[in-house]
């Protein structure tokens, strides 16, 4: 992508109001626009980031045999009345009447609609376990707070499992838990796994994946040890039971939640299957990840005075190319990198803005590495690559293309 072609809707709002760091950087770098309280538009760079996150999640869900579906965000009231949540969500759910006078809502979650999709269609135990998931929009009439961290519309991955017994539910729960660990590791976010229901008997029924962050609205004690993801809501625990490291108390952002629902929804939704002696209720589990919330969570954890520091897996571009002058050899190499590494991966800083501005914008957007084409290239024929953390490497062009193309 050429910088002169890239649409970047930067915002003055970032400077003009008190913001959490993630909101300030998301607006200042033009990742999102903020047309009103609690709603956000994704720019081309923002949408690249959101898509990269979704793709990582989708791949891991498919790996464990979950099947992708898409249910409407627009819902009728009846199934929510059936489960008893129409009243429970009151105030937080967007509800209204359609032109025929029927009560409708914008879905905050999809347990009921998913149970409705499966009901009467999965009758035999042979059709289970079944795991369905979707990546889509959810709506919650919450008090907007901390920018993207708590919005009225947000993107979730939500998965639902349907099984005949607790043992099968536990198996899927553990697979899902392992997939979440792979997902959050690949996303480069720091997180802990917190038992959300420590009072439950006979094994864990619900765990949250929480990202340590000062601006988070949750609290936990967690283990800062390498590759240890122990977290707890029991603040009397001082030492990690898994590795012995001292625990740290912190605010945190909920990134994901895995939940053994049992028959909480299958009972009111009449979600049953046939047995030799009659009918049994289907056992459900639900497994969410806040896709759009991962964006501010990552920014909160990974930024410096110059801007965002995206992990490679999420970054909108993996390389910036900054030609320092108009020398034909430099321009030719810049174009070659753009073509061979690919316009999906490369942000080529063409155009006549000052070099300093190009560097600053690349760092603000959070591109992990810059190829700087100047005298080093003209004199030694080497490509200078400066990483977002300040590290630097020099490549012969052939080695460079082997590494990046
Ligand atoms: Zn530990």
């Amino acid at each position: 992508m050429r910088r002169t072609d890239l649409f970047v809707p930067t915002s003055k709002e970032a400077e003009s109001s008190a913001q959490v760091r993630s909101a300030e950087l998301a607006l200042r770098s033009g990742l999102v626009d903020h047309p009103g309280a609690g709603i956000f538009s994704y720019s081309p760079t923002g949408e690249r980031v959101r898509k990269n996150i979704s793709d990582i999640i989708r791949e891991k869900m498919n790996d464990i045999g979950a099947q992708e579906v898409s249910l409407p965000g627009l819902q009728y009231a009846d199934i929510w009345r059936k489960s008893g949540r129409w009243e429970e969500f009151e105030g937080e759910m967007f509800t209204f009447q359609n032109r025929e006078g029927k009560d409708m809502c914008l879905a905050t979650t999809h347990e009921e609609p998913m149970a409705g999709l499966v009901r009467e269609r999965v009758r035999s135990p042979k059709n289970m376990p079944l795991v369905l998931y979707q990546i889509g929009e959810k709506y919650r009439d919450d008090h907007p707070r901390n920018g993207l961290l708590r919005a009225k519309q947000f993107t979730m991955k939500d998965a639902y499992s349907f099984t005949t017994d607790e043992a099968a539910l536990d198996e899927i729960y553990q697979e899902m838990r392992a997939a979440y660990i792979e997902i959050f590791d690949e996303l480069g976010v720091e997180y802990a796994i917190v038992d959300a229901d420590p009072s439950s008997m006979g094994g864990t029924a619900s765990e949250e994946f929480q990202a340590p962050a000062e601006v988070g609205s949750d609290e936990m004690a967690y283990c800062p040890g390498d590759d240890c993801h122990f977290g707890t809501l029991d603040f009397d625990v001082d030492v990690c039971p898994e590795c012995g490291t001292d625990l740290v108390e912190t605010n945190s952002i909920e990134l994901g939640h895995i939940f053994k629902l049992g028959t909480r929804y299958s009972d009111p939704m009449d979600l049953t299957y046939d047995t030799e002696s009659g009918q049994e209720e289907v056992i459900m589990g639900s497994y969410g990840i806040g896709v759009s919330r991962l964006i501010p969570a990552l920014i909160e954890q990974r930024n410096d005075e110059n801007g965002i520091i995206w992990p490679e897996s999420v970054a909108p571009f993996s390389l910036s190319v900054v030609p320092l002058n108009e020398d034909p050899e430099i321009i030719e190499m810049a174009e070659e990198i753009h073509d061979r590494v690919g316009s999906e991966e490369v942000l080529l800083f063409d155009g006549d803005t000052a070099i300093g501005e190009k560097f600053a914008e690349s760092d603000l957007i959070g591109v992990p590495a810059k190829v700087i084409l100047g005298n080093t290239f003209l004199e030694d024929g080497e490509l200078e690559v400066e990483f977002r953390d300040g590290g630097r490497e020099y490549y012969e062009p052939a080695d460079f293309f082997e590494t990046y193309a």
Side-chain angles (χ1 to χ4, degrees), residues 68-333:
E68 188 169 10
V69 294
S70 177
L71 275 61
L74 191 59
Q75 294 281 334
Y76 286 100
D78 50 352
I79 52 172
W80 303 86
R81 291 212 166 98
K82 222 167 148 67
S83 73
R85 286 212 286 184
W86 185 259
E87 290 74 24
E88 198 179 303
F89 272 127
E90 199 180 5
E92 271 191 39
M93 194 151 71
F94 285 103
T95 58
F96 52 94
Q97 290 193 332
N98 70 3
R99 63 198 303 157
E100 286 91 29
K102 289 211 160 67
D103 288 331
M104 297 193 80
C105 67
L106 294 175
T108 53
T109 175
H110 275 89
E111 279 83 3
E112 288 87 344
M114 282 283 183
L117 176 67
V118 169
R119 186 177 52 206
E120 301 304 332
R121 300 197 172 98
V122 174
R123 297 269 14 138
S124 162
K126 292 197 188 86
N127 299 136
M128 288 178 276
L130 174 68
V131 184
L132 302 177
Y133 79 98
Q134 60 179 349
I135 297 176
E137 298 300 282
K138 302 279 189 261
Y139 305 85
R140 195 176 282 256
D141 197 4
D142 215 338
H143 296 291
R145 207 166 57 217
N146 293 344
L148 288 159
L149 284 168
R150 195 171 287 275
K152 288 177 185 285
Q153 178 178 340
F154 48 97
T155 312
M156 290 273 300
K157 185 284 295 181
D158 47 328
Y160 305 86
S161 66
F162 304 90
T163 50
T164 54
D165 56 53
E166 292 287 341
L169 170 62
D170 190 58
E171 202 169 302
I172 288 171
Y173 182 94
Q174 296 304 335
E175 274 179 8
M176 204 53 92
R177 188 181 194 277
Y180 273 39
I181 288 171
E182 287 183 20
I183 288 167
F184 292 123
D185 283 350
E186 192 165 336
L187 289 171
V189 68
E190 190 191 350
Y191 66 96
I193 306 172
V194 176
D195 188 342
D197 187 14
S199 62
S200 68
M201 302 292 283
T204 300
S206 165
E207 287 167 293
E208 291 171 357
F209 290 71
Q210 292 274 355
E214 264 175 52
V215 298
S217 56
D218 293 341
E219 287 173 32
M220 65 169 175
Y222 80 108
C223 174
D226 284 344
D227 293 326
C228 181
H229 297 296
F230 177 80
T232 180
L233 299 177
D234 181 351
F235 294 96
D236 293 330
V237 180
D238 296 324
V239 174
C240 176
E242 288 172 20
C243 74
T245 306
D246 285 346
L247 297 185
V248 177
E249 286 184 26
T250 180
N251 284 84
S252 60
I253 299 165
E254 185 185 337
L255 302 176
H257 197 167
I258 51 178
F259 213 110
K260 291 182 183 174
L261 297 171
T263 57
R264 164 67 183 89
Y265 298 98
S266 35
D267 179 21
M269 296 293 295
D270 304 319
L271 179 59
T272 59
Y273 66 98
D274 298 324
T275 64
E276 281 169 21
S277 54
Q279 294 185 347
E280 291 281 344
E281 282 170 349
V282 172
I283 310 282
M284 285 179 67
S286 77
Y287 317 89
I289 292 181
V291 175
S292 51
R293 185 180 279 179
L294 271 156
I295 296 172
L298 279 163
I299 299 175
E300 288 292 339
Q301 289 185 350
R302 306 173 60 109
N303 72 80
D304 63 11
E305 68 279 9
N306 297 323
I308 304 167
I309 306 174
W310 291 118
E312 193 114 2
S313 59
V314 172
F317 299 95
S318 44
L319 278 179
S320 291
V321 175
V322 187
L324 297 188
N325 62 51
E326 296 285 313
D327 185 286
E329 270 186 70
I330 284 179
I331 298 303
E332 194 185 331
M333 180 49 76

